[in-house]
Every structure is written in C-alpha cells, then in structure tokens.
Amino acid sequence: MHIEQNISLKHYNTFGIDVVAKYFISIKNITELKEVLSLEGYDQKLILGGGSNILLTKNFDGLVINNNIKGIEIVSENQDFVYVKANAGENWHDFVSWCINRDYGGVENLSLIPGNVGTAPIQNIGAYGVELKDVFESCQALNKERKKLESFDKDKCDFGYRNSIFKQQAKGEYIITSVTFKLTKHSHILNIDYGVIALELDKKDLKTPSIKDVSEAVIRIRESKLPNPKEIGNSGSFFKNPVISKTQYQELLNNFSDMPCYTVSDNKVKVPAGWLIEKSGFKGKTFGNYGVHKKQALVLVNYGGAKGSDILKLSELIQKTVSRIFSITLEAEVNIL
Ligand code: EPU
C-alpha cells in the first residue's frame, strides 16, 4: 500500500478547493480498505468518494482515504426486475448510463447528479420527483470499529429528505462499499409529472418517452440550470429546502404573496431555498472568485482559486439574511470540513 504525502485535494472535490491532505491513499477493494483502517499513527481519517457534497475549508492533517472500489454487476433477476450491485467508487452518472444503455428503469431522473455511488445513500440523493430510496434494495457498509461488513436494507437506512441513518445515528461509523438497486426490465414507471420534465418532453413532442428520452431531458434541464463542476466548481444545492409550518407559510404570504411551496404533510410545507436566496438579493452575486450561481441561487460557486472559508462565510451571510427577512433557518446540505 502506498501512502502519499502532501497531496492537493483540488481534483477530489467538485468545489475545486485547493487544500492539502497530509496523507492520501486511494483504495481499490475491501481488503485494502480494512488494512488502511487498521493503520495506526493517523489522528484523523477522512473517507472521500466523489467529493461532490463537501466544502473543504482547511488543510487536512490526517489521512484521506479515496474510496475507489469499482465494478457493476447483476446479482439476480426475474422476469420483471433486475438487481444490480454497483461498487462505491463508481461515478454516479456512469452507473446511470450503464442502466439506461441496458434499458433498466428507475434511475433516469437521477441522471447527471455529481458524485459516486457510495455516497448516494448517505444523503438519499434526489431530483425531479425521484429519490435514491425509490430504487434502493440494500447496501453493504464496513463498520469502521469492528472492520466487519454489514448489510443495510431500506428500512434500516431510514431514508428521509436528503437524509439517512448514515447522517444521523450511524454518522461516521460506516463506509459504504456497494449499493444494490432494484430496477425494472420493462413496463418502466416513468416519473414525468414534474413541471420542467413534462415541458422538456413536450418540446420534443415525445408522447410515449423511453427512459433514455427522460434521461436526456433531465440532462438538458440540468445543463441549462446547474453549473458543470468540471467547468465551475460547485457542490450542487448548498442548502436543503427548509420545512416550515403551514401557519408560518400563511403569515409569510401576507408579505410575499408569490412564495412557492410544496406540501410535506397536513401542517408542514417545504419552501424552495433557491427562491428565498434569490429574493434576498444573492442570485448571481459574485465576490471576486466565488459567488452565487446566476441561474440557480441554491448553488454556490468557485470560479477558480476561491478558498473554502470564503464560501463558508458567504453561506453564513446568506443564512443570516434569509433568517432576518423570512425568519427561516437554512440548513447546509453539504458537509463542511
Ligand atoms: N427558484 C427560484 N430561484 C432560484 C432557484 C429556484 O426562485 O434561483 C424557485 C423556482 O422557480 C422553483 C423552485 O424554486 O419554483 C424550485 O426550483 P427547482 O425546481 O430548480 O428545484 P430546487 O428545489 O431548487 C431541488 C433539489 C435539486 C434538484 C431539483 C430538481 C434540494 C436542496 N435541491 O432543487 O437537487 O436537482 O430540486 O428536482 O432539494 C442537489 O441536491 O444538489 C440538487 C441540485
């Protein structure tokens, strides 16, 4: 095993923040992962997948372990469903493309989400009416203490909106090594009611779209609204959409009559954070080499060379301003380190 020293993490986080890891290793299988976890003499160990949900604000003094376990295989199938196991180090969109190319349905709405397969369950990634939990069968995760692999079914993962057991009770205890998905082989259940998707399909006059058509529509929408991390450093939505009471929402409507919302339950609604940030005047604002994306206010961007600490300060300013204007607390969706 080769541990490198003083490695820049710039290419290991989609924000493109240039901080240095004192020690760095890329692991390709579970045996290597177990060995690295057993190594002594490192105060801290950080597991990094695709680095798409992290804001690095300072150099990391410990050992960064890049989870690079690759491989996709069919584990079983019947007439209607195929169960596909993808290892944690597979790029998420490459996995989606693998499914679309074989006409396996379920993940098409999740096209082009940055990051790796192994981190997808942690925050239950979601887009355009579909969440990871909808196609999730199980995952395997290595218990860091016991160095043992454990299996998690859907119930055990306790998925919620951008949430799971891996962000709550089991935070920091496990490293996900693979995820098994349950996908349809035919009679695909398309989720195309989401406004922008329906519009995009209409534009192409697609009355009976295939999963490939849906995937392509999602890709076009994302490319038109969200910055490509390969070109402009970003981490997707920086904040979660806040959930507030219906009572507070009704009161806010007195002053902000065009405030959108999605119903969550009888007495709760979710308000788009992008709307709140735009109304607070931040959309498209730049502060030198970082700022708020001009087409989607929920996305903070690094135009090149920005410091993580500057982006963190901007996020705090946004939180304060939104709280002052709307009395709503924005919670970061990305992990801050
Ligand atoms: N909006 C604004 N201004 C903005 C952005 C949005 O007014 O700058 C308004 C829009 O007009 C719309 C509403 O906010 O009425 C919702 O916007 P959008 O459909 O773009 O979705 P979102 O709620 O901002 C969520 C996810 C995205 C996901 C999209 C599509 C969260 C935190 N974000 O964004 O996920 O792609 O829905 O399903 O739930 C991600 O997690 O990284 C991510 C990009």
Side-chain angles (χ1 to χ4, degrees):
M1 270 194 312
H2 177 57
I3 295 183
E4 296 175 272
Q5 284 195 35
N6 298 323
I7 292 294
S8 165
L9 296 179
K10 190 172 173 188
H11 299 293
Y12 292 96
N13 70 102
T14 59
F15 250 125
I17 305 289
D18 194 2
V19 293
V20 172
K22 194 159 183 195
Y23 303 102
F24 180 94
I25 188 163
S26 186
I27 57 99
K28 294 186 181 56
N29 54 53
I30 291 171
T31 315
E32 283 183 1
L33 179 59
K34 284 184 183 169
E35 276 179 48
V36 171
L37 287 178
S38 304
L39 289 175
E40 292 188 5
Y42 299 95
D43 293 350
Q44 295 165 285
K45 290 175 184 164
L46 170 70
I47 313 290
L48 211 52
S52 63
N53 206 37
I54 194 165
L55 177 66
L56 297 163
T57 60
K58 48 185 183 296
N59 289 338
F60 187 71
D61 257 355
L63 172 64
V64 168
I65 304 167
N66 174 226
N67 188 344
N68 197 22
I69 311 175
K70 301 267 193 212
I72 304 177
E73 60 174 328
I74 294 174
V75 283
S76 67
E77 60 187 307
N78 56 35
Q79 252 191 338
D80 302 322
F81 297 102
V82 59
Y83 295 83
V84 177
K85 176 178 157 187
N87 283 326
E90 285 291 336
N91 171 272
W92 174 263
H93 183 69
D94 289 351
F95 163 68
V96 172
S97 305
W98 187 97
C99 299
I100 307 278
N101 289 337
R102 286 160 182 79
D103 199 32
Y104 297 154
V107 284
E108 53 282 355
N109 291 41
L110 305 177
S111 297
L112 217 61
I113 294 186
N116 285 359
V117 166
T119 36
I122 300 176
Q123 59 153 341
N124 183 25
I125 59 168
Y128 310 109
V130 175
E131 288 183 331
L132 175 109
K133 72 169 171 44
D134 303 326
V135 284
F136 180 94
E137 178 65 17
S138 65
C139 71
Q140 259 197 341
L142 188 74
N143 183 300
K144 285 200 217 163
E145 273 295 303
R146 295 196 285 273
K147 317 268 181 313
K148 276 234 152 81
L149 278 179
E150 289 178 28
S151 186
F152 287 74
D153 64 13
K154 206 191 279 192
D155 278 350
K156 202 167 159 192
C157 288
D158 198 17
F159 291 119
Y161 167 61
R162 295 297 194 275
N163 211 351
S164 76
I165 188 170
F166 302 108
K167 277 186 104 171
Q168 301 297 332
Q169 305 95 290
K171 190 172 178 172
E173 281 178 39
Y174 291 90
I175 299 166
I176 295 174
T177 54
S178 70
V179 184
T180 301
F181 300 87
K182 182 182 180 183
L183 305 165
T184 49
K185 287 168 74 173
H186 56 85
S187 317
H188 304 307
I189 303 151
L190 299 183
N191 284 280
I192 50 176
D193 294 341
Y194 204 92
V196 277
I197 300 223
L199 270 174
E200 194 61 36
L201 293 170
D202 256 11
K203 263 196 230 164
K204 297 251 158 190
D205 207 20
L206 291 161
K207 298 272 181 287
T208 50
S210 63
I211 55 168
K212 192 165 198 292
D213 294 327
V214 176
S215 169
E216 285 171 357
V218 168
I219 290 173
R220 282 196 298 277
I221 297 164
R222 290 189 76 98
E223 282 179 339
S224 72
K225 271 201 194 171
L226 297 165
N228 179 348
K230 286 190 182 130
E231 287 154 19
I232 303 175
N234 77 90
S235 199
S237 304
F238 194 93
F239 301 101
K240 287 187 192 182
N241 285 335
V243 175
I244 61 171
S245 71
K246 261 198 181 146
T247 322
Q248 184 183 2
Y249 179 69
Q250 296 295 348
E251 279 166 17
L252 283 164
L253 280 183
N254 294 329
N255 290 325
F256 308 98
S257 58
D258 57 338
M259 182 186 266
C261 80
Y262 317 105
T263 302
V264 172
S265 66
D266 282 351
N267 50 11
K268 295 233 180 298
V269 297
K270 207 192 276 179
V271 178
W275 186 91
L276 297 168
I277 299 168
E278 180 172 345
K279 285 282 161 178
S280 303
F282 285 101
K283 190 171 186 174
K285 275 237 160 137
T286 52
F287 302 81
N289 50 7
Y290 62 98
V292 178
H293 189 54
K294 54 183 187 300
K295 294 186 193 155
Q296 164 58 285
L298 194 45
V299 179
L300 305 190
V301 288
N302 168 15
Y303 290 108
K307 285 196 193 132
S309 52
D310 286 337
I311 294 176
L312 177 61
K313 271 189 221 137
L314 170 59
S315 76
E316 288 165 352
L317 177 65
I318 292 173
Q319 282 169 319
K320 259 192 219 144
T321 313
V322 166
S323 165
R324 181 169 46 76
I325 301 176
F326 302 101
S327 303
I328 291 178
T329 306
L330 286 185
E331 193 190 326
E333 194 208 88
V334 299
N335 298 305
I336 293 158
L337 206 84

